[in-house]
């Protein structure tokens, strides 16, 4: 009940403050690590930080295929740390292929087809024996065309009552069932020694490229066993970096006799470390780094002064360590003061750990994450409460499934970064009428008082 209530709150929050995809400058399609994951997390990329306009990253939002805004909230970098990834098991439709010489008149054929609840053919088993009753070698065809998740390995299952064997199998991939590419090789085995049993049924797949169809063949003269099922293991997400760094070139500026260096950061990254690197091979200087978000605000010292150095000796290089910051800084405008000033502007290096946007999948995919808007703002849904409930159920290390951004594309571009004009304030006629009544009443009272004074004056005379 609590989880359902939280989901309802998330839905209401999203619908109450829904934005339009066209309000944003760019978007990135998301590839889900698991189609039925429910809750997902997106590690923000540098491109998203560069597209963001709002200092608090409120202009980053997730949409479904219908353009509906999804419940989402921004979490700190701890939401992106690695975790033990549960293996997702996917049933694979498979078919046994006829032998290379199907015109053998002495062969005995037995065909059997299996269909799912919707009538789709899921398996065709073609049992073929030669004239003497011996099994004929057959290849296996796997249909991966409906599987959108990247795969790491195949698991082949066979009957338990077969004779012990050890065979080498070759995997070939194709997108059209005509042109085949050899992609992997493995060993399958089922060996016994008394009550001991050694069973090897897992064949790893190459991640360089995925194919719509796979073909499994035994290396002659061996034959494949009689399979009972084929499953695929979804590939785990790629490791997520702990720290990322961006380097910014500066320009020298002069304030009287004082020379300093200015830098413009075009990404709303949450900088937590910084370093200054002189362009000279060996260098030493006292650095002080300041920042502000725009020219209307005062400079704030972020680090220093500290002594930064770089000394190369032979094949080794000794250098000072980056300076930690007490809090995340998203400022655009940065400044470096140096004593003594270097001959050329040094490079400012900012380090950060990427944040995570967690969202609930609603409606049909594909889902996209959009960023960059002067007008649209995400209203964070109470997803943190839901995540706490799920962690209590699944363990403290549980995290939502990854949603991996693909190549970005433009939506409204720079037009989304132009603030819409504020609507004219409607005239408050009730206040104006009230003032008119008050002024008229005041004038009436004054007129009556003057008449009374005039009457008294005339009577006394």
């Amino acid at each position: 009940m609590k989880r359902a209530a939280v989901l309802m709150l998330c839905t209401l929050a999203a619908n109450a403050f829904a934005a339009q995809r066209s309000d944003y400058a760019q978007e990135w399609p998301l590839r889900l690590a698991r189609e039925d994951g429910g809750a997902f997390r997106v590690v923000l990329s540098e491109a998203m930080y560069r597209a963001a306009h709002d200092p608090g990253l409120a202009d980053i939002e997730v949409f479904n295929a219908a353009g509906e805004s999804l419940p989402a909230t921004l979490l700190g970098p701890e939401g992106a740390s690695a975790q033990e990834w549960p293996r997702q098991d996917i049933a694979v439709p498979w078919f046994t292929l006829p032998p290379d010489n199907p015109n053998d008149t002495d062969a005995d054929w037995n065909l059997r087809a299996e269909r799912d609840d919707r009538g789709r053919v899921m398996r065709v088993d073609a049992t073929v024996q030669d004239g003497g009753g011996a099994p004929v070698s057959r290849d296996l065809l796997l249909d991966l065309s409906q599987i959108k998740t990247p795969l790491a390995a195949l698991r082949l299952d066979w009957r338990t009552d077969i004779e012990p064997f050890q065979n080498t199998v070759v995997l070939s991939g194709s997108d059209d069932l005509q042109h085949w590419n050899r992609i992997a090789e493995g060993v399958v085995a089922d060996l016994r020694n008394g009550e001991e049993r050694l069973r090897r049924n897992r064949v790893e797949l190459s991640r360089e490229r995925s194919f719509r169809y796979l073909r499994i063949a035994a290396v002659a003269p061996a034959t494949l066993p009689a399979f009972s099922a084929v499953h695929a293991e979804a590939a785990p997400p790629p490791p997520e970096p702990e720290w990322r760094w961006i380097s910014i070139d500066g320009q020298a500026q002069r304030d009287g006799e004082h020379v300093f260096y200015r830098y413009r950061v075009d990404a709303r990254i949450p900088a937590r470390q910084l370093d200054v690197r002189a362009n000279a091979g060996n260098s030493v200087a006292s650095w002080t780094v300041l920042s502000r978000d725009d020219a209307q605000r005062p400079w704030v010292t972020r680090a220093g002064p500290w002594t930064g150095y770089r000394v190369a000796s032979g094949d080794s290089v000794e250098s000072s360590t980056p300076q930690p910051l007490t809090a995340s800084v998203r400022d655009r405008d940065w400044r470096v003061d140096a004593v003594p000033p270097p001959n050329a502007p040094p490079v400012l290096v900012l380090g950060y750990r990427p944040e995570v946007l967690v969202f609930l999948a609603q409606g049909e995919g594909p889902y996209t994450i959009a960023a960059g808007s002067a007008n649209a703002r995400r209203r964070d849904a109470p997803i943190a409460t839901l995540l706490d409930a799920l962690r209590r159920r699944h363990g403290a290390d549980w995290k939502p499934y990854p949603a991996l951004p693909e190549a970005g594309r433009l939506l409204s571009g720079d037009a989304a970064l132009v603030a819409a004009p504020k609507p004219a304030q409607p005239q408050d006629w009730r206040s104006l009428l009230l003032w008119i009544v008050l002024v008229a009443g005041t004038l009436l009272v004054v007129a009556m008082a003057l008449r009374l004074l005039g009457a008294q004056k005339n009577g006394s005379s």
Side-chain angles (χ1 to χ4, degrees):
M1 291 293 295
K2 292 182 179 179
R3 181 179 178 183
V6 173
L7 287 172
M8 183 176 295
L9 286 174
C10 293
T11 304
L12 291 175
N15 292 336
F17 300 101
Q20 303 293 326
R21 286 175 57 196
S22 58
D23 292 334
Y24 288 90
Q26 301 180 51
E27 70 173 355
W28 294 261
L30 296 175
R31 177 164 52 88
L32 306 183
R34 181 165 180 167
E35 294 294 334
D36 58 348
F40 296 90
R41 71 184 194 273
V42 185
V43 180
L44 301 187
S45 65
E46 183 178 329
M48 296 175 190
Y49 281 116
R50 292 188 180 279
H53 181 76
D54 181 68
L57 303 187
D59 58 336
I60 299 181
E61 201 160 358
V62 179
F63 296 90
N64 60 18
E68 299 169 336
S69 176
L70 301 185
T73 191
L74 186 68
L75 300 181
E78 63 276 0
S81 58
Q83 71 178 49
E84 181 65 25
W85 187 251
R87 292 179 178 176
Q88 181 185 2
D89 207 41
I90 305 172
V92 178
W94 58 280
F95 310 88
T96 52
L97 297 176
D100 293 336
N101 185 18
N103 296 322
D104 189 348
T105 57
D106 294 331
D108 183 16
W109 285 70
N110 181 20
L111 299 178
R112 184 168 62 91
E114 293 184 3
R115 299 177 181 270
D116 60 11
D117 296 337
R118 292 177 293 179
R120 183 178 57 182
V121 176
M122 296 297 294
R123 173 183 167 193
V124 176
D125 193 1
T127 303
V128 185
Q129 295 181 337
D130 62 14
V136 178
S137 177
R138 302 166 300 167
D139 293 349
L140 205 66
L141 177 66
L142 309 183
D143 181 9
L144 308 181
S145 59
Q146 301 303 313
I147 300 177
K148 307 303 181 184
T149 302
L151 302 179
L154 296 175
R155 194 183 73 242
L156 311 173
D157 295 329
W158 48 78
R159 298 198 310 265
T160 59
D161 58 350
I162 64 174
E163 293 296 323
F165 70 91
Q166 177 177 326
N167 296 338
T168 300
V169 295
V170 175
L171 271 66
S172 301
S174 174
D175 290 326
D176 56 9
L177 295 177
Q178 294 183 359
H179 305 88
W180 294 89
N181 299 275
R182 181 167 173 164
I183 60 174
E185 182 177 303
V187 174
V188 293
D190 195 341
L191 305 176
R192 301 177 184 87
N193 182 14
E195 296 182 356
E196 300 294 331
R197 184 179 184 184
L198 174 62
R199 192 167 187 262
R200 180 184 176 90
N201 65 341
R202 188 174 184 272
V203 180
E204 294 188 357
L205 299 175
S206 171
R207 302 186 190 181
E208 295 179 357
R209 183 187 170 188
S210 59
F211 291 91
R212 293 172 58 86
Y213 307 99
L214 293 182
R215 183 170 182 165
I216 303 178
V219 176
T223 60
L224 295 176
F227 292 102
S228 58
V230 178
H231 292 81
E233 288 181 11
E240 295 158 348
E242 285 294 314
W243 284 93
R244 298 177 182 174
W245 300 85
I246 63 172
S247 300
I248 308 102
D249 294 327
Q251 293 183 343
Q253 294 191 1
R254 184 179 296 275
D255 182 8
E257 296 297 324
H258 180 62
V259 177
F260 60 93
Y261 306 92
R262 292 284 295 272
Y263 303 81
R264 180 68 178 176
V265 180
D266 293 328
R268 288 289 188 183
I269 60 170
R272 288 302 302 265
Q273 294 190 59
L274 61 83
D275 199 3
V276 181
R277 299 173 184 173
N279 288 319
N282 296 324
S283 62
V284 60
S286 177
W287 306 109
T288 301
V289 178
L290 307 92
S291 75
R292 62 186 182 185
D293 199 48
D294 56 60
Q296 306 303 320
R297 300 186 182 185
W299 290 105
V300 178
T301 301
R302 300 301 181 183
W306 85 96
T307 300
Y309 60 88
R310 182 183 185 277
V311 179
S313 177
D315 295 333
S316 63
V317 176
E318 299 290 338
S319 60
S320 54
T321 59
Q323 300 296 299
L325 302 180
T326 57
S328 298
V329 181
R330 300 187 194 273
D331 289 347
R332 299 277 201 185
D333 203 5
W334 291 75
R335 166 177 169 170
V336 172
D337 292 350
V339 179
N343 295 328
V347 176
L348 176 65
V349 182
L350 299 179
Y352 69 99
R353 295 179 62 198
E355 295 155 297
V356 178
L357 191 72
V358 177
F359 70 94
L360 294 183
Q362 293 180 353
E364 296 295 329
Y367 303 108
T368 59
I369 181 171
S373 177
N375 304 297
R377 292 294 181 266
R378 180 192 72 256
R379 299 299 194 274
D380 283 337
I383 292 181
T385 304
L386 172 62
L387 298 182
D388 290 340
L390 292 175
R391 288 191 184 99
R392 287 193 295 269
R393 176 176 299 181
H394 300 290
D397 293 334
W398 180 88
K399 293 182 179 64
Y401 288 94
L404 306 178
E406 298 184 335
R409 58 198 180 201
L410 284 178
L411 288 175
S412 296
D414 293 338
L417 304 180
V418 179
K422 294 183 178 180
Q425 293 293 332
Q427 183 67 39
D428 193 347
W429 293 106
R430 289 179 298 180
S431 298
L432 181 60
L433 181 61
L434 178 61
W435 278 106
I436 293 175
V437 172
L438 290 175
V439 172
T442 302
L443 294 176
L444 180 62
V445 171
V446 171
M448 292 177 63
L450 291 175
R451 290 183 61 184
L452 289 174
L453 289 174
Q456 292 176 358
K457 184 177 181 181
N458 293 331
S460 61
S461 59

